Amino acid sequence: LVPHYATSIADAWRVVEKLVSPELVLDILVAADGLTLARFCHPFQQFLNLTRPDYAPAKTAPLAICLAALKAMEEKFGGWKKP
């Protein structure tokens, strides 16, 4: 079976476990409007630059984690390139 990364917190946490390292941590919070905001960042940036454009917003935590993971990989590898 394919994991339900975007809808199951247990499956989304597998993504977190794969990406987290000494140089990359998950920063996740719930905004006043109820959206979950997530980003992967360097540990020193975790308490800096708390602007919304840095975060991936979503209605649920699993989806926010998945969007943040995609954003982190895009930043690391320079985005999608067609073959």
Side-chain angles (χ1 to χ4, degrees):
L1 289 174
V2 177
H4 298 277
Y5 296 114
T7 58
S8 164
I9 193 65
D11 290 339
W13 204 253
R14 293 169 61 186
V15 174
V16 174
E17 290 172 342
K18 189 74 171 175
L19 293 181
V20 168
S21 70
E23 294 83 31
L24 197 67
V25 297
L26 173 65
D27 185 15
I28 189 165
L29 55 98
V30 177
D33 60 6
L35 285 178
T36 300
L37 306 174
R39 68 177 176 171
F40 286 90
C41 61
H42 190 278
F44 294 124
Q45 291 177 319
Q46 188 173 8
F47 303 106
L48 302 173
N49 206 15
L50 297 174
T51 60
R52 266 205 153 153
D54 291 342
Y55 288 89
K59 290 185 179 182
T60 65
L63 182 55
I65 289 168
C66 289
L67 293 173
L70 288 171
K71 186 174 181 180
M73 292 300 96
E74 181 179 48
E75 290 172 4
K76 181 176 181 177
F77 295 109
W80 175 259
K81 294 182 174 69
K82 291 184 180 181

